[in-house]
Amino acid sequence: MRASSVLLSIALLVGLAIPAAAQMSEDQIRNGFKNHAAMAQYYRWYQFYERPDGGVANALDILTKDVTITSGLGTANGHAQYKERVAQLPATWKNAHHVQTAEITQGKDGKMTLAAKIIYQNQGMLPDGAVRQADLNYTVEMVPGEDVLPLLSNVLIEQDSDTTVTSFQDAYAENRLRSLVHYWLALIEDPSRNPEPVQEILSDDFSLNFSSGAITDFNGFKAWLAGPASQVAASTHVISNFEAKDLGEGEYTATMDFDWAGITPDGTELVAKTRHTWTATNDVNERFARIKTVDVEVLEPFRPRGN
């Protein structure tokens, strides 16, 4: 693999195989929250490998009890074998997983298949601080969980190439913040409009500065979810121009654009585009980082699709 092209592709980061909001079908809009929930879990897969001090419990939380995981290390069946495998990973290793593409296929009975390509980096496996880099393909099967988040039931990891590069590029902030954003979108797009799970991803002193006004307490969020956020029968967001930064001391910031598509109760299809700037706090022991502030800039106001 050419190191220069690899570094460029890492800088460009994820290109999800999802059409822009203006081209999404009705089914894609209505299933958008399921895709976001799947992506939230997929990005969580990397959490333990990139910050093992958070413990293995969060890794097991995303897996079915009878999960099958197959990679170059062999096959692990169930939680016990998976724990034995990851316990053998040296604590001195540094791992990074740069997701390049991801595509989700909806199946029957709520099952989904996610196909992804990543660039994996490791520092510690090779002597003299050399950085190993490999192209990996993921095929992940998911089944419905007890809430909006699905569980990984089968994970197949296949390697395309293997080389060395001159520098290690940490991916934790990127993956941790993307998992948070996807989970937030899954919860606010879910037609059940259940506000309670959102408490897990809000900091104690959060401020959501939406165009409809600032929300600074959970009662305000519940009112927003039951009011402005519920004026459509279905909606979804396509994320672009995502950039995450680690500010240190467990503080993060992320900027991104959202292409939004929605369907009103009478069937009218609407689109809009906003730019979000988030700050978040992070505890590696928790399932997700927590939203501290959200600032929203309207790039394209709500309008009928096609106008």
Side-chain angles (χ1 to χ4, degrees), residues 8 21 41-42 65 70 77 80 82 93 101 115 127 139 142 145 159 167 188 193-195 216 238 261 294 307:
L8 175 59
Q41 294 290 70
Y42 177 60
K65 296 295 185 181
T70 305
N77 294 302
Y82 178 72
W93 281 10
T101 63
T139 303
M142 300 186 186
Q159 181 173 311
S167 63
I188 67 169
R193 311 295 186 196
N194 181 10
T216 58
V238 177
V294 173
N307 290 7

Side-chain angles (χ1 to χ4, degrees), residues 158-295:
E158 299 174 295
Q159 181 173 311
D160 272 349
S161 66
D162 197 341
T163 187
T164 58
V165 293
T166 57
S167 63
F168 177 88
Q169 187 171 352
D170 189 31
Y172 178 75
E174 174 82 14
N175 293 333
R176 186 68 159 158
L177 270 293
R178 280 191 178 270
S179 180
L180 172 65
V181 172
H182 280 292
Y183 188 36
W184 161 265
L185 293 176
L187 292 174
I188 67 169
E189 293 174 2
D190 183 355
S192 71
R193 311 295 186 196
N194 181 10
E196 297 305 322
V198 179
Q199 293 189 81
E200 180 187 8
I201 57 172
L202 295 175
S203 66
D204 292 337
D205 56 347
F206 72 89
S207 179
L208 310 177
N209 302 308
F210 296 153
S211 57
S212 55
I215 301 170
T216 58
D217 58 45
F218 188 62
N219 285 334
F221 170 77
K222 289 195 293 185
W224 174 81
L225 189 64
S230 297
Q231 298 305 303
V232 291
S235 68
T236 195
H237 301 70
V238 177
I239 305 169
S240 62
N241 300 322
F242 188 97
E243 182 179 0
K245 293 182 180 179
D246 184 348
L247 303 179
E249 303 296 328
E251 299 284 334
Y252 293 83
T253 184
T255 58
M256 70 214 85
D257 292 343
F258 287 156
D259 281 286
W260 176 89
I263 303 171
T264 65
D266 67 2
T268 301
E269 296 182 359
L270 303 173
V271 293
K273 186 170 186 174
T274 55
R275 176 162 296 152
H276 280 227
T277 301
W278 291 24
T279 60
T281 59
N282 185 55
D283 180 342
V284 295
N285 297 292
E286 294 188 327
R287 298 201 310 167
F288 296 93
R290 292 176 179 263
I291 299 168
K292 187 173 183 179
T293 64
V294 173
D295 292 296

Side-chain angles (χ1 to χ4, degrees), residues 74-91:
T75 298
N77 294 302
H79 284 198
Q81 288 188 14
Y82 178 72
K83 287 176 65 176
E84 290 176 3
R85 172 181 292 184
V86 298
Q88 298 172 13
L89 297 175

